[in-house]
């Protein structure tokens, strides 16, 4: 396999271009800014993004953000979030906030998230896919005449139907008032609701305040019971001895906690080493010689 190599300074130039693209997005119209234009753009836009960033999420009736929208997340109109208007010098007072699509000819007047069923768009009750409906208000089906507007009964992982969810656009202050994470201020365009790596997970799996919330110390330290997930029970049941089972359970809970001074690589390496040691100990115990027995005379 041929190895890709960069000339001297090529990797740094690639990083600079990626940084440029994340900041500028499509505001340059496809023609790169000159260094002077780029600096002027940042001088005008970056303070505005820091003060007026909008957070976009797909929220269930229970208040959980089942999906946090990012730059590449598709809208009902099939265009991405970064192709919608996301920067405002002054945030409008009306609610809900509308983020119209900027693609020429698109009839989308407000960003609207629609979930996917695997890799496909979900179906409407008229049996046609979401992308077969008009992006204009009303969302009439283009493939049939009996549809009165897009309405999907697709069930989200949270247990609620898609039609019960709302695409929510809110400010940093509005989000903080609800106790939801806002992350750090970043200069990048169309970040939406992304505040960290956990933002990419579904709401019921996200261990922060935008999902089900981080478990308490009492929950993390509590012993595994018959009501817990089978994976936890199988992981703890590597030994049939009650004493060893308790020790394994305690060590596994301790090793799964990240230490303050650890980086990602050190954390995962320590967990992997602990797992290997436990497996070796279990194998050695299984190979222990049986006690001698006397043969009947």
């Amino acid at each position: 396999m041929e190895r890709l190599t960069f000339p001297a300074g090529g990797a740094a130039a690639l990083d600079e271009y990626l940084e440029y693209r994340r900041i500028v997005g499509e505001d340059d119209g496809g023609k790169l800014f000159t260094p002077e234009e780029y600096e002027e753009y940042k001088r005008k836009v970056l303070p505005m993004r820091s003060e007026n960033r909008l957070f976009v999420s797909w929220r269930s009736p229970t208040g959980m953000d089942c999906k946090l929208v990012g730059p590449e997340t598709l809208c009902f109109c099939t265009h991405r979030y970064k192709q919608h208007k996301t920067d405002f010098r002054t945030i409008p007072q009306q609610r809900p906030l509308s983020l119209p699509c900027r693609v020429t000819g698109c009839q989308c007047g407000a960003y609207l998230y629609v979930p996917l069923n695997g890799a496909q768009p979900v179906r409407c009750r008229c049996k046609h896919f979401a992308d077969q409906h008009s992006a204009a208000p009303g969302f009439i089906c283009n493939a049939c005449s009996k549809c009165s507007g897009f309405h999907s009964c697709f069930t989200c992982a949270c247990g609620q139907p898609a039609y019960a969810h709302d695409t929510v656009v809110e400010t940093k202050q509005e989000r903080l008032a609800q106790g939801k994470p806002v992350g750090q201020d970043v200069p990048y365009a169309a970040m939406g609701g992304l505040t960290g790596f956990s933002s990419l997970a579904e709401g019921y799996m996200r261990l922060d305040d935008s999902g089900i919330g981080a478990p308490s110390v009492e929950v993390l330290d509590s012993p595994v019971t018959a009501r817990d997930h089978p994976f936890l029970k199988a992981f703890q049941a590597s030994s049939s001895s009650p004493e060893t089972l308790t020790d394994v359970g305690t060590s596994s809970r301790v090793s799964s906690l990240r230490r303050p001074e650890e980086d990602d690589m050190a954390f995962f390496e320590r967990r992997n080493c602990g797992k290997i040691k436990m497996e070796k100990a279990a194998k050695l115990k299984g190979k222990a010689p049986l006690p001698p027995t006397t043969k009947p005379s």
Side-chain angles (χ1 to χ4, degrees):
M1 184 173 64
E2 185 177 355
R3 183 178 180 181
L4 179 64
T5 58
F6 290 98
L14 180 60
D15 290 339
E16 290 178 3
Y17 174 76
L18 293 175
E19 181 81 0
Y20 168 91
R21 187 54 61 196
R22 292 190 185 104
I23 293 175
V24 176
E26 300 183 2
D27 288 348
D28 58 5
K31 182 181 179 181
L32 293 178
F33 287 147
T34 63
E36 295 77 15
E37 291 174 335
Y38 183 39
E39 292 302 320
E40 179 65 16
Y41 177 87
K42 290 192 292 183
R43 187 184 67 81
K44 291 181 178 179
V45 173
L46 299 195
M48 177 179 62
R49 286 182 183 161
S50 177
E51 296 174 7
N52 298 331
R53 176 180 169 179
L54 295 177
F55 295 79
V56 185
S57 60
W58 192 58
R59 189 166 296 169
S60 76
T62 62
M64 181 171 65
D65 294 335
C66 294
K67 171 70 178 180
L68 293 172
V69 172
E72 303 295 333
T73 309
L74 293 176
C75 173
F76 185 87
C77 69
T78 70
H79 297 121
R80 302 183 186 278
Y81 176 65
K82 66 182 182 181
Q83 295 174 288
H84 291 68
K85 181 175 177 59
T86 59
D87 289 331
F88 289 86
R89 295 194 178 278
T90 303
I91 297 178
Q93 295 298 318
Q94 77 272 10
R95 294 293 186 275
L97 284 167
S98 297
L99 306 179
C101 186
R102 298 185 297 170
V103 176
T104 303
C106 185
Q107 297 177 309
C108 174
Y111 181 87
L112 180 66
Y113 174 76
V114 178
L116 295 176
N117 185 9
Q120 290 185 327
V122 295
R123 291 183 184 270
C124 173
R125 56 188 169 186
C126 72
K127 308 302 182 183
H128 294 111
F129 290 112
D131 56 6
Q132 294 178 283
H133 289 68
S134 171
F139 310 113
I140 302 299
C141 184
N142 296 322
C144 69
S145 57
K146 61 182 180 180
C147 179
S148 58
F150 183 79
H151 182 93
S152 175
C153 296
F154 174 81
T155 302
C156 173
C158 72
Q160 298 289 334
Y163 64 78
H165 290 64
D166 293 309
T167 300
V168 179
V169 182
E170 54 196 349
T171 64
K172 181 177 181 178
Q173 292 72 26
E174 291 169 341
R175 196 163 175 81
L176 286 173
Q178 302 172 66
K180 294 183 179 294
V182 296
Q184 299 178 351
D185 292 335
V186 292
Y188 305 133
M191 287 299 290
L194 301 187
T195 59
F197 285 111
S198 66
S199 302
L200 303 176
E202 294 194 46
Y204 75 99
M205 299 175 63
R206 197 181 312 118
L207 297 182
D208 60 29
D209 294 330
S210 61
I212 61 175
S216 64
V217 177
E218 291 76 14
V219 172
L220 292 174
D221 290 341
S222 63
V224 174
T225 65
R227 300 180 61 184
D228 284 304
H229 194 280
F231 177 81
L232 292 177
K233 292 187 289 184
F235 184 68
Q236 274 205 321
S238 59
S239 172
S240 59
S241 170
E243 293 80 13
T244 307
L245 181 63
T246 304
D247 294 339
V248 171
T250 304
S251 62
S252 66
R253 286 198 298 273
V254 172
S255 65
S256 65
L257 298 177
R258 186 168 180 170
R259 297 170 182 170
E261 71 278 3
E262 279 186 321
D263 57 17
D264 290 340
M265 292 301 297
F267 171 62
F268 289 115
E269 179 67 19
R270 181 169 59 82
R271 288 192 62 184
N272 186 52
C273 290
K275 182 179 178 181
I276 293 174
K277 289 180 180 179
M278 290 169 56
E279 291 176 350
K280 287 183 178 179
K283 288 181 180 179
L284 290 174
K285 184 173 182 179
K287 293 180 180 179
L290 296 174
T293 58
T294 57
K295 295 182 179 181
S297 56

